[in-house]
Amino acid sequence: MVRIEKILPILAWGKAYDRAVMTSDLVAAMIVTIMLIPQSLAYAMLADLPPEVGLYASILPLVAYAVFGTSRALAVGPVAVVSLMTASAIGQIAEQGTADYLTAATVLALLSGAMLVLMGVFRLGFLANFLSHPVISGFITASGLLIAASQLKHILGVPVKGDTLPDILGGLLSNIGNVNPITLAIGGGAIAFLYFARSRLKGLLTGSGLNSRLSDILTKTAPILTVAITILIAATFDLGSRGVMLVGAIPQGLPVPALPTFSLDLVAALAGPVLLISAIGFVESVSVAQTLASKRRQRIVPDQELIGLGAANIASAISSGFPVTGGFARSVVNFDAGAETPAAGIFTAIGIALAALYLTPLLASLPQATLAATIIVAVLSLVDFKAIRSVFGYSKADFAAMAATILVTLLLGVEPGILSGVLLSLALHLYRTSRPHMAVVGLVPGTEHFRNIERHKVITDPSILSIRVDESLYFANSRYLEDRIAALVADHPKVRHVILMCPAVNAIDASALESLEEINHRLNDAGITFHLSEIKGPVMDRLKRSDFLQQLTGSVYLCQYEAMVALRGKGQAPIYHSA
């Protein structure tokens, strides 16, 4: 039974489900449903898909995640960054507005779901670690700017094409004389109101005497209020006939679940985007889930999260949706509204389904500028210039990867942006670890501790050269290790013993082992004995599987102090170093 509960977490939390928990979940679901309706429509538009597709992608995925996911508060569905990546991926292989475009979107969700499930089954969640935080942060910041810029055409009421910032800005400038003033007034007014609601409304409501939770709920309803007001204005004044682009008729009802039909050529064309969307979606989702779980001292299982997120995407595909993931904003709202279990997601799905069945006729007069305003206000919160300054001050190498990701994403598009960031991060990691920090160390007087002679007041023995290496040893730094030890030995002509201190060495690969053998051989030829100290257990286990320890001219010591006591030269005057 325990094994089944690991595969189906719903069985674990479902056993303790009662009326009090259900009440909390229902309240949270009502709030998230109100928030999710305009968001779903907006993110479908961002992906260049019909608005109803956003609703479809917010129904079955929530149910699937509730069955297989481990987070109690995560709310899955369309999100800004994944919607942008979807548009970028399928825009290259199908024409917007065609049946092939919609098919490509559903196949993208299906393939992404299948990949995530397989990664979960084979416990490959660690692969997401290759996306460093600066790269992810830079990509999300650039995507936020790119998304906001792409929605300005709906705010201004002008036709603009392009997936990069230069193309978008160029198109806006070339059409600046064709701006529709009514559309601009609606879009600008919606942005102003939504920004006011996000930044000031809660404070004003609590200041007027409302309790904090009610004020927060009212603040979260600002997008749906904006939608209602602009629909009323557009319908009353027939703004569609005055050049204002409206959402138009939305099919009423729900799609019949079915797997999309696709060809091997389409799968091959989507293979690259599927990998990137799956990785970005998982990283974003698991980060949100872990953050919320820690606040309640709960835990999530990353590999099971892969399965839950994969199931959500497969569910989206069979219900004519597009790729989904855990969204930060809606998950935080779900958490703050008091959601206790994933059942809140099931109730939210029911609410969205009812909206698709009965409310879509009311959305026909919704100005596209309103949805664009919703997107702009939402995604600008993703732009984190503070993180850029922080990374710049802390690590120039990480800043280089972040800056490259931002610039390439803005100038060339989302896929080249994330690829450049990942490749540069790996290249910088290889460069840094290929030249590991190595220090000559000495004994801190009155202790058994050894520290860098250039940083601390220490004592050394002229016949002993103690070298600490602060990195695992592998093919990229093995030659550097040889050269560095050779240079240090040349600078210390009285040395008779070299001790390689390895407290930070977590692994030694075959290339590094050959280098250690070569170092041992060269030192022996020079009349110098080679020793090791503070070797970690797993590393020692691997060394024992080779014949290196039998060839070693010296000994392996448990600690550096033990080595120093055993090898200390008689009659040698100690050397005092003052950093």
Side-chain angles (χ1 to χ4, degrees), residues 287-527:
S287 298
V288 175
Q290 287 175 333
T291 299
L292 297 179
S294 65
K295 292 183 178 181
R296 291 180 178 170
R297 297 190 179 184
Q298 297 169 346
R299 64 183 295 268
I300 66 165
V301 182
D303 289 324
Q304 184 63 32
E305 281 297 291
L306 281 166
I307 295 175
L309 197 58
N313 276 277
I314 293 173
S316 183
I318 66 175
S319 57
S320 302
F322 61 107
V324 298
T325 191
F328 178 76
R330 69 172 65 101
S331 297
V332 171
V333 171
N334 195 40
F335 179 89
D336 290 341
E340 296 285 345
T341 72
I346 297 176
F347 297 141
T348 300
I350 294 172
I352 299 294
L354 292 174
L357 285 170
Y358 302 110
L359 298 182
T360 51
L362 302 177
L363 300 172
S365 296
L366 175 62
Q368 292 184 9
T370 302
L371 295 180
T374 302
I375 293 173
I376 290 173
V377 174
V379 300
L380 286 182
S381 64
L382 302 176
V383 179
D384 192 353
F385 292 118
K386 182 179 179 181
I388 297 174
R389 292 194 300 269
S390 176
V391 172
F392 177 78
Y394 182 75
S395 170
K396 298 300 185 290
D398 286 333
F399 173 75
M402 177 184 260
T405 304
I406 292 173
L407 291 176
V408 176
T409 300
L410 292 177
L411 299 179
L412 299 180
V414 292
E415 290 179 22
I418 191 64
L419 284 174
S420 65
V422 171
L423 292 177
L424 186 55
S425 290
L426 292 176
L428 290 171
H429 172 73
L430 287 173
Y431 176 76
R432 284 195 298 260
T433 56
S434 70
R435 300 174 62 84
H437 178 261
M438 297 177 64
V440 176
V441 299
L443 180 65
V444 178
T447 73
E448 296 183 3
H449 301 296
F450 287 78
R451 295 292 184 268
N452 191 335
I453 64 172
E454 296 179 359
R455 293 175 177 269
H456 301 271
K457 294 180 180 180
V458 295
I459 304 170
T460 61
D461 187 308
S463 66
I464 301 174
L465 179 61
S466 298
I467 305 169
R468 189 189 70 226
V469 59
D470 297 330
E471 186 65 65
S472 291
L473 303 178
Y474 72 119
F475 66 91
N477 61 27
S478 57
R479 183 58 59 86
Y480 178 81
L481 177 70
E482 293 182 42
D483 295 341
R484 182 69 175 142
I485 290 179
L488 289 171
V489 168
D491 291 339
H492 296 78
K494 295 183 180 181
V495 166
R496 293 294 175 263
H497 301 280
V498 170
I499 308 172
L500 187 63
M501 187 178 174
C502 305
V505 176
N506 296 313
I508 298 176
D509 74 358
S511 297
L513 179 61
E514 289 186 9
S515 290
L516 291 176
E517 291 171 346
E518 183 64 23
I519 291 168
N520 183 58
H521 177 71
R522 290 179 183 175
L523 291 177
N524 186 45
D525 289 345

Side-chain angles (χ1 to χ4, degrees), residues 536-557:
K536 292 186 176 180
V539 178
M540 192 65 180
D541 292 340
R542 296 192 67 178
L543 290 178
K544 287 179 179 178
R545 294 201 292 268
S546 71
D547 59 358
F548 171 70
L549 296 178
Q550 286 73 40
Q551 298 175 10
L552 186 66
T553 56
S555 303
V556 178
Y557 293 96

Side-chain angles (χ1 to χ4, degrees), residues 206-243:
T206 53
S208 65
L210 289 179
N211 65 62
S212 179
R213 184 170 185 183
L214 181 58
S215 298
D216 191 55
I217 292 173
L218 292 175
T219 300
K220 297 298 189 299
T221 63
I224 204 74
L225 181 61
T226 306
V227 167
I229 291 173
T230 53
I231 287 176
L232 183 61
I233 292 173
T236 301
F237 297 99
D238 191 20
L239 296 184
S241 64
R242 304 176 68 176

Side-chain angles (χ1 to χ4, degrees), residues 28-115:
M30 286 189 289
I31 296 170
V32 175
T33 300
I34 292 171
M35 174 188 181
L36 205 53
I37 292 173
Q39 268 196 3
S40 300
L41 299 171
Y43 291 146
M45 186 176 73
L46 178 58
D48 294 326
L49 291 163
E52 67 270 15
V53 175
L55 295 176
Y56 300 159
S58 301
I59 301 173
L60 286 187
L62 286 164
V63 178
Y65 181 81
V67 174
F68 294 99
T70 60
S71 172
R72 299 293 183 97
L74 189 71
V76 301
V79 300
V81 173
V82 172
S83 297
L84 176 66
M85 296 178 73
T86 298
S88 175
I90 61 180
Q92 301 173 14
I93 59 178
E95 186 70 25
Q96 178 188 347
T98 64
D100 289 341
Y101 192 92
L102 179 56
T103 298
T106 56
V107 171
L108 189 63
L110 180 65
L111 295 176
S112 178
M115 177 172 287

